[in-house]
Structure formats: C-alpha cells, structure tokens
Amino acid sequence: MRVHVVGAGPVGLLLTALLQSTEGCSVHLSEKRDEYTRTRMVQLAPYLVADSVESYRTDSIDGDSVEAIFDPRELEESLRYRQSIAPDLAALLQGWAQGFCPLNSIERSLSDLIDSRGHGVERTAAAVTAEDAVSMLEPGDVLVDSTGSRSLLRDQLIPPSDRPSDGANTVNVRLEYALVITFLYGQPYDCNEYCKYYKNKDNPRYKFIPMVHRTHYDGNVSHVTGIVNISPEEYEAMPSRFDGEWLRANAPDVAESMDRFIDEIKQETHGEVLGDLEIVRIPLDLYRARNSTNRQWLMSGPSDHPFVRSPVFLAGDSAIGSPYFQSISLGFENAMFLARLVSQQDLAVRDMLDRYELFIYKQWLRVYMRSKMIKHNKDLFETLEDPLALLDKLHIY
Ligand SMILES: Cc1cc2nc3c(=O)[nH]c(=O)nc-3n(C[C@H](O)[C@H](O)[C@H](O)COP(=O)(O)OP(=O)(O)OC[C@H]3O[C@@H](n4cnc5c(N)ncnc54)[C@H](O)[C@@H]3O)c2cc1C
C-alpha cells in the first residue's frame, strides 16, 4: 500500500514515522518548506502518553467528557496501539510530554528519525497543488492531507455538484480575537488561577492570562506565554506580528496592563524580563471539517475521478483546530488513529472512512466542549470585579 502524505508539519511527520514501521506500507511525503523555522514553544498533552484508561482521563476539564463520548473498548484499543509504537518514536513522544519545547525541534527530530531509519519513505520537496494531489493517486493508494489549517483538500472532499460554495466543508466558531504574548523571564515563575487573578486585579480591561502550564522554567529561564483579549477593530488595526516597542507606541493601554502584570511578577520573584515581548495577533477559531474524508465522493455514484476509488483523509489542523492550544495533541491522536486504520489492510475502504469520520466527530465533541468551557471561564474571570456583569453571564438553572 502506498500512502501519500502531503504536508510534513508535526502531524504529517508523526503519521509518516508511524506508517514507516507498518508492514507492507510505503509513504510518499511532500513538503513545501525547505527548513523548519517555527520556534514557538509547545507541549504535548499528558494523555498522549497515558498508559491506562484512568490516566488517559485524568484531566480536570475534559476527563468526564472523554468518559461520556468514548467507549471504554475504544480507549483500550487506542492505548494498546500506543504501547506498540516503535521505541525510538515512543521515546520522543515521552520526552515532549514532559515540558515545553520549540515546535521546530519536534519537527526536526521526527524528520531526522524518518531519515535515519532509511527505509519505506520517499520524500518530495515541493508545494503540491490540489490537481497534483489528485493525479498522484493510483488505484489502491491512500491520500492524507496534513497541510495545516489552510488545508489543501478540505474543500475538495465534497463533489463539485454537492458543494454550494467554497468553505462549505468547514464549521467555524470564532471565540475571540487575541494577542498571544510571549516573553522570557530570568527567574522561576509558575502560575495558577489565583496568580492570574491577583496579578490582573488593577487591569480592568486587557487582562494578561498566562495559560495553565504555559509558564515553563527550564533551569535558567522561564518561558511565559499568555493571551490578551482584544476587540475585532483592534485586531484589524494591528500587524500580524510585532514587539513590545510597537505595543507601547500603538496600544498603550495593553502595554500598561502587561507592565503591571510583569511588575507583580518581579515583586514576587525579583527577576527581569530577558529581551523583548514577542506578540502575534490571532483570531481564536474553533473549527472542523464537516467531512474529514472523501466519503461523499463514494456516495455520489460512478465517476472517473480518483476520489471515487481511493481513500482520502484530513489529519491534524486540516481536520480540526482548537484555539486554546491543544491542537498538536489532537493532531497526534488523529495520526495514531489513522495509522492504526491504514495498518488494518483487510478493512473495506468504506469502513475505513466511516470509522475515521466517527473518530473525528468524537474528537470534535470533546474539543468543542473543552474550548467553550475555557472561553466561558475566561469571560467570567474578566468580570470578577463586577458582580452584576458576572451574574449576567451566568445561567444557573
Ligand atoms: C501562536 C501559536 C501557538 C501555538 N501553541 C501551541 C501549543 O502550545 N500547543 C499545541 O498543541 N498547539 C499549539 N499551536 C498549534 C500548533 O502549532 C498546530 O496545531 C500544529 O502545528 C498543527 O500541525 P499540522 O502538522 O497539522 O499543521 P502545520 O503545522 O500547519 O503543518 C502543515 C505543513 O504542511 C506544509 N504544507 C502546507 N501546504 C502545502 C502544500 N500545498 N504542499 C506541500 N506542503 C504543504 C506546511 O509547510 C507545513 O509544514 C499553536 C499555534 C499558534 C499559531
């Protein structure tokens, strides 16, 4: 079986590394970038390397949802698959679940692992078009689109006659606009909900919210990342990426809030911010592909189009994206599920597609509930000093 994986970001790479050790499977991996440069710090969720169903469900926000959505047997099967992952790859996953690391070091390690194993993968350095992807499919091949949030094939998964408009295959929930602000701090610094409250108590607007576990002390330096909610108008007026100087000159109220927050940290731990703030402005979108396979093509009747005979899947950010940064972990779970499906070579194509659609839908339910809960908690947090505004946001019974 030949599997074409388009997009060698973290998810395409993990899928390739998993399939590389699957008997009877060869992978054709295409990537348009020539080097891995993204330095943002990410962390894998502990559930990715859980060794029992109980530890998989140990999560204060979505442990109950996992129990409600997934059957125990499903969870057991997926844990069994994880335990069968080749030791070289399993060791990398264990390491990334311990703490933060730069995205490009995850990408490079996976890429190097694939190359060092030296078999079963053909790599192409090129930007693949949708037409290229369709034309590379021979009967019996599998195609996986792991090209990220601006997926190459998401819209193509519905036959043109059933496609009312571009974007029809995406459900998008815009939760808010935010600045993601990152800085380095020269002392150990950790944060919990009390800390978020007290360090923001003099910030009526523009509260800086470090994400739980998003402050990381690596021996000499704490990496701190958090978000500040901004209005749609402010978002439109800002460049996509900027520094503290730009913030001070153009958004002084946000800069003052940051200064107050950082002063509180300094009073507590007597350190200094190292270097400047790094700021990106992003819409926090929670989205999914309505169809994450080409199942609609198979139901559309006979045609010469390759999508009628070969399975096509979306993986990682192509299929689902969540704003409060669990996306890599979700994408890695997708890759593991997909690698397991592909390795069951006696499975009918239709069953493969149905199972993947069901899995992605369950992942969507889980992340939708989780993200809405976090957003609701954030909204409440922002009005803690104003009981009436707070009560307006509560629906108690
Ligand atoms: C500011 C910020 C902070 C984040 N922090 C976290 C975090 O802490 N934790 C977390 O879990 N997630 C985080 N995320 C999200 C995380 O980075 C993504 O979920 C993850 O990178 C998705 O992996 P992917 O492989 O699906 O897609 P991508 O990383 O987008 O990779 C897609 C790959 O496909 C390639 N490609 C695209 N089009 C083509 C084409 N036509 N032909 C060939 N190749 C192509 C691209 O070059 C890229 O290499 C963050 C995101 C942002 C923006």
Side-chain angles (χ1 to χ4, degrees), residues 14 16 48 75 136 188 194 197-198 212 293 301 322 347-348 352 358:
L14 179 69
T16 301
L48 264 185
L75 295 177
M136 58 173 73
Y194 299 100
Y197 174 73
Y198 283 107
V212 180
T293 68
S322 80
L347 206 59
M352 237 184 191
L358 182 61

Side-chain angles (χ1 to χ4, degrees), residues 189-200:
Y189 164 60
D190 211 345
C191 190
N192 60 21
E193 291 356 52
Y194 299 100
C195 158
K196 288 174 202 172
Y197 174 73
Y198 283 107
K199 293 193 174 40
N200 274 300

Side-chain angles (χ1 to χ4, degrees), residues 3 29 31 47 65 96 128 230 274 294-295 344 362 381:
V3 183
L29 175 63
E31 169 57 47
Y47 63 71
S65 306
W96 297 325
V128 176
I230 52 171
L274 309 174
N294 58 331
R295 190 165 61 167
Q344 295 167 34
K362 289 184 172 192
F381 180 83

Side-chain angles (χ1 to χ4, degrees), residues 192-201 203-205 207 209 376-394:
N192 60 21
E193 291 356 52
Y194 299 100
C195 158
K196 288 174 202 172
Y197 174 73
Y198 283 107
K199 293 193 174 40
N200 274 300
K201 66 183 183 329
N203 292 337
R205 170 92 175 95
K207 294 182 193 306
I209 305 191
H376 183 63
N377 290 350
K378 265 184 88 243
D379 287 349
L380 300 183
F381 180 83
E382 308 236 327
T383 49
L384 275 180
E385 293 87 1
D386 181 351
L388 293 183
L390 182 66
L391 287 169
D392 278 343
K393 293 193 171 123
L394 295 178

Side-chain angles (χ1 to χ4, degrees), residues 6-12 30-33 36 38 40-43 100 103 107 126-129 146-150 152 180 214 280 282 315-318 325-329 331:
V6 183
V11 174
S30 311
E31 169 57 47
K32 67 178 180 185
R33 289 184 288 161
Y36 292 115
R38 296 182 292 185
R40 67 175 173 256
M41 305 293 283
V42 298
Q43 184 181 14
F100 281 86
L103 184 57
E107 292 175 313
V128 176
T129 63
S146 48
T147 55
S149 56
R150 297 205 186 114
L152 181 66
V180 179
R214 295 281 300 180
V280 238
I282 48 173
D317 277 15
S318 280
F325 304 136
Q326 317 113 55
S327 293
I328 287 197
S329 303

Side-chain angles (χ1 to χ4, degrees), residues 94-329:
Q94 286 287 352
W96 297 325
Q98 300 296 318
F100 281 86
C101 65
L103 184 57
N104 62 359
S105 92
I106 294 183
E107 292 175 313
R108 282 189 200 134
S109 317
L110 283 170
S111 183
D112 292 348
L113 177 75
I114 291 166
D115 293 342
S116 69
R117 286 167 165 181
H119 62 87
V121 178
E122 176 201 344
R123 298 182 79 148
T124 303
V128 176
T129 63
E131 294 70 36
D132 298 335
V134 171
S135 62
M136 58 173 73
L137 268 181
E138 300 283 333
D141 287 358
V142 174
L143 174 60
V144 179
D145 170 358
S146 48
T147 55
S149 56
R150 297 205 186 114
S151 162
L152 181 66
L153 298 175
R154 198 187 299 136
D155 276 345
Q156 317 287 322
L157 292 182
I158 310 179
S161 54
D162 302 341
R163 200 187 300 156
S165 60
D166 279 353
N169 194 25
T170 308
V171 186
N172 191 34
V173 182
R174 176 147 300 165
L175 293 175
E176 60 180 307
Y177 291 94
L179 299 178
V180 179
I181 303 181
T182 304
F183 60 91
L184 301 177
Y185 183 69
Q187 283 293 327
Y189 164 60
D190 211 345
C191 190
N192 60 21
E193 291 356 52
Y194 299 100
C195 158
K196 288 174 202 172
Y197 174 73
Y198 283 107
K199 293 193 174 40
N200 274 300
K201 66 183 183 329
D202 296 323
N203 292 337
R205 170 92 175 95
Y206 305 119
K207 294 182 193 306
F208 174 70
I209 305 191
M211 290 173 206
V212 180
H213 308 306
R214 295 281 300 180
T215 59
H216 169 62
Y217 183 57
D218 73 359
N220 298 310
V221 174
S222 300
H223 298 260
V224 186
T225 293
I227 54 178
V228 173
N229 170 278
I230 52 171
S231 69
E233 295 73 29
E234 289 166 324
Y235 172 86
E236 286 303 331
M238 289 173 174
S240 56
R241 186 173 283 274
F242 52 94
D243 57 16
E245 197 182 327
W246 192 96
L247 188 74
R248 264 171 250 293
N250 296 280
D253 293 347
V254 183
E256 270 170 34
S257 282
M258 282 308 298
D259 287 343
R260 272 196 286 267
F261 192 97
I262 290 169
D263 283 347
E264 294 275 345
I265 304 179
K266 286 182 183 167
Q267 274 179 32
E268 206 173 84
T269 48
H270 311 291
E272 284 302 326
V273 172
L274 309 174
D276 202 352
L277 308 180
E278 277 182 29
I279 306 164
V280 238
R281 61 114 166 88
I282 48 173
L284 295 185
D285 287 346
L286 174 63
Y287 67 86
R288 77 173 167 103
R290 286 184 197 278
N291 299 276
S292 45
T293 68
N294 58 331
R295 190 165 61 167
Q296 298 286 343
W297 280 90
L298 269 70
M299 292 192 283
S300 69
S303 143
D304 292 339
H305 197 285
F307 280 11
V308 172
R309 47 170 204 262
S310 298
V312 183
F313 301 92
L314 304 180
D317 277 15
S318 280
I320 295 187
S322 80
Y324 300 120
F325 304 136
Q326 317 113 55
S327 293
I328 287 197
S329 303

